[in-house]
Amino acid sequence: MKKQHIQIGDEGFIFKGFANDIAETLVDTIKELTAMSPLRQMTTKRGYQVKAEMTSCGHYGWVSDKQGYRYEVLDPLSQQPWPDLPEIFQSIAASAAGQAGFDHFKPDACLINHYQPGVGMGLHQDKDELDLSHPIVSISLGVPAIFIFGGMHRNSEHNFYLLEHGDVAVWGGKDRLRYHGIKPLKLSHHPLTKQSRYNLTLRKTGYIS
Ligand code: SIN
Ligand code: FE2
């Protein structure tokens, strides 16, 4: 049966409950990954603290500090390579990307964000990947959040969508560089994540691996 989807752009979709069947395994896997490369708060170039806690897995991890943001092969905290991208992350991402019309998506990086009540993420573009022909695949776990999906400019008109546990959003092609963000999380509870929300964003950086 085809799962319900919401079209958020010409090449952007939210597949409701797409990861429901494996959501518990995804949360358990996140816990294993964060035991190796812990969640941490990063700083921006200007010295501000990023409110959501972050870590990565895959060949490249996303890092931000006073030098700016970039992909790195070593976790600066552990000085070790980031944990491998779990097979289950790759397969759910490839299958959601396929549903959105992007075949053969093979991510090489996954950013793991962790939000507590009151924490959101400001509008930004995901533009640090070299090959923008691949989509972004974003998996939501835990308490719900409001996704802000804008246009090609920071001040373009934007829409709001509910992202719930198990939802998978995919945006690529014409929509790949659209500004997006997350509204500060409302106080809520989920049996697997307590008051918090995890988000996995899977990317193909296009760097040589
Ligand atoms: C992001 O844009 O990196 C995160 C989006 C989300 O948390 O849903
Ligand atoms: Fe993003």
Side-chain angles (χ1 to χ4, degrees), residues 124 126 180 203:
H124 65 278
D126 291 359
H180 57 279
R203 300 112 189 271

Side-chain angles (χ1 to χ4, degrees), residues 111 113 115 121 124 126 138 140 147 163 171 180 182 197 199 201 203:
L111 177 63
N113 292 321
Y115 301 79
M121 186 172 293
H124 65 278
D126 291 359
S138 148
S140 292
F147 183 54
L163 287 179
W171 62 96
H180 57 279
I182 289 288
R197 168 179 186 261
N199 174 259
T201 44
R203 300 112 189 271

Side-chain angles (χ1 to χ4, degrees), residues 116-161:
Q116 297 291 348
V119 170
M121 186 172 293
L123 279 179
H124 65 278
Q125 292 171 298
D126 291 359
K127 59 174 185 189
D128 304 304
E129 301 72 31
L130 284 183
D131 185 348
L132 297 175
S133 67
H134 300 283
I136 297 288
V137 176
S138 148
I139 304 173
S140 292
L141 297 161
V143 310
I146 304 291
F147 183 54
I148 314 164
F149 200 56
M152 301 304 280
H153 304 281
R154 186 174 291 281
N155 55 3
S156 306
E157 203 180 305
H158 42 263
N159 292 310
F160 301 94
Y161 301 95

Side-chain angles (χ1 to χ4, degrees), residues 76-113:
L77 258 190
S78 66
Q79 293 293 328
Q80 298 293 315
W82 300 96
D84 289 341
L85 194 62
E87 178 53 45
I88 196 166
F89 287 16
Q90 294 185 45
S91 55
I92 189 81
S95 110
Q99 287 270 329
F102 300 96
D103 289 334
H104 315 297
F105 179 55
K106 250 190 128 320
D108 57 7
C110 174
L111 177 63
I112 303 171
N113 292 321

Side-chain angles (χ1 to χ4, degrees), residues 3-205:
K3 298 198 171 122
Q4 187 206 348
H5 73 261
I6 296 164
Q7 188 133 16
I8 60 171
D10 288 342
E11 296 178 273
F13 304 87
I14 294 170
F15 299 111
K16 293 301 290 179
F18 194 85
N20 269 350
D21 294 348
I22 57 160
E24 190 159 357
T25 310
L26 294 176
V27 173
D28 288 344
T29 308
I30 291 171
K31 289 178 182 160
E32 288 167 23
L33 294 167
T34 57
M36 294 184 267
S37 270
L39 288 159
R40 79 289 309 260
Q41 274 186 301
M42 300 199 196
T43 10
T44 65
K45 204 171 178 170
R46 296 179 175 193
Y48 294 113
Q49 216 168 42
V50 180
K51 283 196 183 154
E53 294 180 299
M54 298 177 169
T55 188
S56 288
C57 58
H59 200 77
Y60 295 97
W62 195 84
V63 170
S64 179
D65 58 22
K66 292 208 170 125
Q67 274 98 58
Y69 44 78
R70 61 203 176 270
Y71 282 105
E72 291 268 10
V73 290
L74 294 184
D75 173 354
L77 258 190
S78 66
Q79 293 293 328
Q80 298 293 315
W82 300 96
D84 289 341
L85 194 62
E87 178 53 45
I88 196 166
F89 287 16
Q90 294 185 45
S91 55
I92 189 81
S95 110
Q99 287 270 329
F102 300 96
D103 289 334
H104 315 297
F105 179 55
K106 250 190 128 320
D108 57 7
C110 174
L111 177 63
I112 303 171
N113 292 321
H114 190 219
Y115 301 79
Q116 297 291 348
V119 170
M121 186 172 293
L123 279 179
H124 65 278
Q125 292 171 298
D126 291 359
K127 59 174 185 189
D128 304 304
E129 301 72 31
L130 284 183
D131 185 348
L132 297 175
S133 67
H134 300 283
I136 297 288
V137 176
S138 148
I139 304 173
S140 292
L141 297 161
V143 310
I146 304 291
F147 183 54
I148 314 164
F149 200 56
M152 301 304 280
H153 304 281
R154 186 174 291 281
N155 55 3
S156 306
E157 203 180 305
H158 42 263
N159 292 310
F160 301 94
Y161 301 95
L162 181 65
L163 287 179
E164 297 174 286
H165 182 69
D167 289 354
V168 181
V170 181
W171 62 96
K174 285 185 198 158
D175 296 318
R176 178 63 177 73
L177 287 178
R178 284 175 67 168
Y179 275 85
H180 57 279
I182 289 288
K183 278 202 177 190
L185 222 64
K186 285 215 173 119
L187 189 60
S188 181
H189 182 270
H190 190 280
L192 297 178
T193 64
K194 305 203 171 85
Q195 297 186 338
S196 73
R197 168 179 186 261
Y198 288 102
N199 174 259
L200 304 173
T201 44
L202 290 118
R203 300 112 189 271
K204 170 85 183 170
T205 64

